[in-house]
Amino acid sequence: MTLPVEPMRRHEHYLETQHKADHLPFVKDVHGLAVHAHRDGVSVGKVDFGHPGGADFTIDETDYTGRVAPAMAERFGGLGRLTLRDSWTGLYDQNRFDGNMILGNWPGHLDNFYVACGFSGHGFMHALAVGRGLAELITRGGYQTLDLSRMGYQRVLDEQPYPEESVR
Ligand SMILES: Cc1cc2nc3c(=O)[nH]c(=O)nc-3n(C[C@H](O)[C@H](O)[C@H](O)COP(=O)(O)OP(=O)(O)OC[C@H]3O[C@@H](n4cnc5c(N)ncnc54)[C@H](O)[C@@H]3O)c2cc1C
């Protein structure tokens, strides 16, 4: 079962902000900028979907200045002066086919082998439905509460991508 899922590097930056940010909810915009309050400022990242896959943990010094700082200036001007204090990297699991989860088994093969993968940076919010759906599929032989078959591997075989419209 060939899964179009691979690890992809993601940067995170800690910024001290001139104005307090501790009231800020977690904010994620349609361009992939993700910001939350952290210590004396914010922690921010902006996914680079063009980055090649692989276990790459190197820090690109231009990620903040070239990609994140302009996006922060546009969306968070109210936080005042921003001072970069730390940068680090980790890995995202990316479904390169359509950026969405692959759930269930391999149609026509190995009917007792299940996957739930490729959440592409938005799997936490799907976790409850995925857990229930997969449990139903395994114990009852089909989805009962929500029909999640659209998220199955069949769409990969059929080359029918099913991307999220706003969250990435
Ligand atoms: C920086 C960042 C920000 C994110 N922000 C959001 C967000 O705002 N909203 C949202 O919904 N989602 C977000 N996500 C995505 C979300 O965290 C993931 O989609 C979700 O955690 C994926 O769950 P999972 O169970 O598939 O994989 P994981 O949580 O990665 O779990 C896989 C587990 O398998 C274990 N494992 C791996 N290999 C083996 C092995 N060979 N043997 C045994 N165990 C193994 C690992 O140790 C791990 O515990 C974010 C992810 C990142 C990295």
Side-chain angles (χ1 to χ4, degrees), residues 40 45 48 59 64 66 78 84 93 98-99 121-122 136 138 146 161 165:
D40 298 322
D48 178 5
I59 295 176
Y64 179 69
L84 179 64
D93 63 323
D98 62 6
H122 46 90
E136 290 173 351
I138 293 169
L146 283 174
E165 288 184 1

Side-chain angles (χ1 to χ4, degrees), residues 69-83:
M72 285 298 289
E74 184 188 337
R75 189 163 290 274
F76 287 100
L79 294 177
R81 191 178 57 255
L82 306 175
T83 309

Side-chain angles (χ1 to χ4, degrees), residues 4 94-102 118 120 122 150-152 155-156 160-164:
Q94 277 300 316
N95 175 356
R96 297 292 193 178
F97 175 66
D98 62 6
N100 227 337
M101 74 176 95
I102 299 175
S120 309
H122 46 90
R150 194 71 181 84
M151 312 314 302
R155 78 181 191 281
V156 180
Q160 296 283 327
Y162 189 39
E164 288 283 337

Side-chain angles (χ1 to χ4, degrees), residues 20-114:
K20 281 177 84 70
D22 54 4
H23 60 290
L24 197 66
F26 180 84
V27 178
K28 201 166 187 178
D29 80 0
V30 291
H31 304 297
L33 185 73
V35 183
H36 64 270
H38 182 65
R39 290 168 52 187
D40 298 322
V42 293
S43 184
V44 55
K46 186 169 186 289
V47 188
D48 178 5
F49 293 101
H51 193 69
D56 177 5
F57 291 95
T58 55
I59 295 176
D60 177 354
E61 304 294 342
T62 66
D63 182 73
Y64 179 69
T65 49
R67 303 178 63 256
V68 176
M72 285 298 289
E74 184 188 337
R75 189 163 290 274
F76 287 100
L79 294 177
R81 191 178 57 255
L82 306 175
T83 309
L84 179 64
R85 290 293 183 209
D86 198 9
S87 298
W88 62 98
T89 55
L91 298 174
Y92 249 21
D93 63 323
Q94 277 300 316
N95 175 356
R96 297 292 193 178
F97 175 66
D98 62 6
N100 227 337
M101 74 176 95
I102 299 175
L103 189 62
N105 50 19
W106 187 6
H109 298 76
L110 293 176
D111 285 340
N112 61 347
F113 176 78
Y114 298 86

